[in-house]
């Protein structure tokens, strides 16, 4: 696969890892974010947040699950510091995802680092790391910018027009987020039983911790993700290009 | 709730989020990162996706009273993703399936 990749990179003038390719790869995320953020805008308005407060969440924090969690906490009467702490905990996973993305992008200018760090999310991280070999900064920029626009347009539409949607449709739209996760996970599952066990142990751990412990979803997710990864490291055989991947 | 300054929360959350996201980007010497850490980063996405789906897909439907509708959506997504590399198809299939299940009285 790596050999084919090199041919792709040098043989075509279309820059297979460029901005357009990034937008094309990000299209399902844009669609998924748009529908999921309609739900966010809708819920924020029913939690009596103003349009600007709602939109600011999407513009500046740009983080799906944590925004929904923040609404729950606001409705539950949590304090500001509690909400911010939960935000940080739930998003600690970006530390690892951002590291994996940073490793994948061929940075050419120093300013690309602080810029490309802004928009890393669960979904575009999965798309970027799903590529064989390296991607260009333009590719990564497109993979982050497209979904950010989708997320913000959806937030706006949800706040303004969400109340006209039937309840069952807005509930079903949240499913798009999980469908995206599933579609991104499937290629990993096809790699064999050790990979399936890795995903399943993280899933099982998170379900048990979130539903039957008092840890809260931030800690539950972090612990489950670490546990699943450790299981994977124990049972997945070392790949020959583990070393090359980081070079 | 009126006492909570939402904009202060948003601003603080944005700063916390950005710091988390930018720190790994500012580390440049990946060659010096031990193999075990790189292996961790390779396998972590699979575990993360597993934990992102469960139980979130089900609890997100709690308010409809039918969390099990998520099984239909996830099943439709997995099935279509198996046959198509285009991610829009599983997303659309899952939304339609979940919506259809929620229609039943």
């Amino acid at each position: 696969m790596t050999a084919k990749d090199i041919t792709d990179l040098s043989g075509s003038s279309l820059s297979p890892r460029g901005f357009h390719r990034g937008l094309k790869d990000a299209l399902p995320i844009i669609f998924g974010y748009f529908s999921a953020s309609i739900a966010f805008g809708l819920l924020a308005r029913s939690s009596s947040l103003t349009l600007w407060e709602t939109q600011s969440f999407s513009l500046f924090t740009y983080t799906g699950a944590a925004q929904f969690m923040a609404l729950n906490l606001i409705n539950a009467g949590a304090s500001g510091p509690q909400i911010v702490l939960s935000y940080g905990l739930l998003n600690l996973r970006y530390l690892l995802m951002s590291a994996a993305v940073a490793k994948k992008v061929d940075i050419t200018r120093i300013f690309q680092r602080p810029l490309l760090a802004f928009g890393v999310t669960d979904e575009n991280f999965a798309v970027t790391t799903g590529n064989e070999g390296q991607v260009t900064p333009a590719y990564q920029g497109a993979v982050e910018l497209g979904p950010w626009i989708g997320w913000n347009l959806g937030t706006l539409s949800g706040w303004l027009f969400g109340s006209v949607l039937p309840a069952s449709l807005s509930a079903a739209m949240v499913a798009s987020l999980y469908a995206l996760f599933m579609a991104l996970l499937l290629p990993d599952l096809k790699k064999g039983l050790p990979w399936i066990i890795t995903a399943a142990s993280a899933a099982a751990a998170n379900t048990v911790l979130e539903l039957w412990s008092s840890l809260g979803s931030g800690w539950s997710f972090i612990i489950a993700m670490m546990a699943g990864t450790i299981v994977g490291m124990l049972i997945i055989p070392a790949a020959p290009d583990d070393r090359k991947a980081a070079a | 709730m009126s006492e909570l300054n939402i904009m202060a929360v948003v601003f603080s959350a944005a700063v916390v989020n950005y710091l988390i996201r930018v720190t790994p980007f500012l580390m440049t010497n990946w060659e010096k990162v031990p193999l075990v850490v790189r292996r961790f980063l390779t396998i972590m996405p699979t575990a993360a996706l597993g934990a992102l789906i469960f139980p979130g897909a089900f609890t997100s439907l709690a308010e409809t009273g039918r969390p099990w509708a998520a099984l239909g959506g996830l099943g439709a997504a997995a099935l279509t993703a198996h046959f198509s590399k285009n991610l829009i198809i599983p997303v659309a299939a899952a939304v339609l399936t979940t919506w259809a299940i929620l229609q039943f009285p």
Side-chain angles (χ1 to χ4, degrees):
Chain A
M1 271 305 177
T2 328
K4 181 182 163 286
D5 237 48
I6 292 162
T7 338
D8 277 350
L9 279 170
S10 54
S12 161
S13 57
L14 267 171
S15 178
R17 296 278 185 271
F19 192 82
H20 285 97
R21 169 67 196 285
L23 271 190
K24 187 170 163 274
D25 286 1
L27 210 58
I29 309 182
I30 297 172
F31 177 84
Y33 275 15
F34 183 78
S35 29
S37 59
I38 285 179
F40 175 75
L42 177 79
L43 289 171
R45 186 174 189 170
S46 60
S47 314
S48 50
L49 262 65
T50 67
L51 176 59
W52 175 237
E53 288 166 348
T54 306
Q55 196 70 51
S56 297
F57 266 111
S58 294
L59 284 172
F60 305 124
T61 76
Y62 185 37
T63 161
Q67 288 183 214
F68 282 98
M69 179 204 66
L71 287 184
N72 283 339
L73 291 175
I74 289 168
N75 288 331
S79 72
Q82 273 176 338
I83 299 172
V84 175
L85 181 66
S86 311
Y87 233 91
L89 287 180
L90 187 60
N91 287 341
L92 259 190
R93 66 182 188 281
Y94 289 136
L95 206 58
L96 300 171
M97 294 188 183
S98 222
V101 170
K103 198 181 80 169
K104 267 305 227 192
V105 184
D106 267 327
I107 299 287
T108 50
R109 302 261 173 89
I110 192 78
F111 71 86
Q112 289 161 351
R113 292 181 185 279
L115 272 184
L116 292 178
F118 174 77
V120 175
T121 67
D122 303 298
E123 290 81 6
N124 62 33
F125 143 82
V127 164
T128 296
T129 54
N131 278 289
E132 301 270 348
Q134 298 292 102
V135 302
T136 64
Y139 176 93
Q140 184 59 26
V143 163
E144 292 183 16
L145 183 65
W148 181 78
I149 292 171
W151 183 254
N152 276 285
L153 286 179
T155 303
L156 182 66
S157 316
W159 197 92
L160 291 175
F161 314 115
S163 48
V164 303
L165 287 177
S168 61
L169 189 59
S170 46
M173 281 172 129
V174 181
S176 60
L177 208 60
Y178 299 98
L180 210 50
F181 292 145
M182 180 51 96
L184 292 168
L185 178 60
L186 200 71
D188 290 344
L189 300 183
K190 286 182 182 172
K191 288 186 206 164
L193 192 59
W195 292 86
I196 296 175
I197 294 174
T198 301
S201 34
N206 198 36
T207 305
V208 169
L209 290 175
E210 201 165 299
L211 300 183
W212 292 289
S213 82
S214 51
L215 284 169
S217 46
W219 283 118
S220 296
F221 180 83
I222 291 166
I223 293 169
M225 184 177 71
M226 300 289 260
T229 308
I230 290 167
V231 168
M233 289 173 80
L234 294 175
I235 58 174
I236 294 171
D241 52 65
D242 263 3
R243 303 166 137 243
K244 251 191 309 185
Chain B
M1 207 179 77
S2 53
E3 288 166 29
L4 184 67
N5 184 341
I6 306 259
M7 287 315 290
V9 170
V10 173
F11 181 74
S12 319
V15 170
V16 168
N17 250 1
Y18 185 68
L19 286 178
I20 292 174
R21 281 163 164 159
V22 81
T23 306
F25 264 88
L26 299 180
M27 285 181 52
T28 48
N29 48 347
W30 281 109
E31 297 77 14
K32 288 175 191 154
V33 173
L35 185 61
V36 64
V37 176
R38 282 183 263 155
R39 211 168 123 73
F40 183 92
L41 292 178
T42 313
I43 295 170
M44 187 267 296
T46 309
L49 286 168
L52 282 169
I53 297 171
F54 292 90
F58 299 88
T59 51
S60 71
L61 292 176
E63 278 177 25
T64 66
R66 294 178 191 183
W68 296 106
L71 270 187
L74 289 176
L79 197 67
T80 47
H82 178 71
F83 293 109
S84 165
K85 278 212 152 185
N86 185 340
L87 289 175
I88 294 181
I89 295 169
V91 168
V95 172
L96 285 175
T97 308
T98 308
W99 182 73
I101 294 173
L102 293 177
Q103 291 312 296
F104 283 105

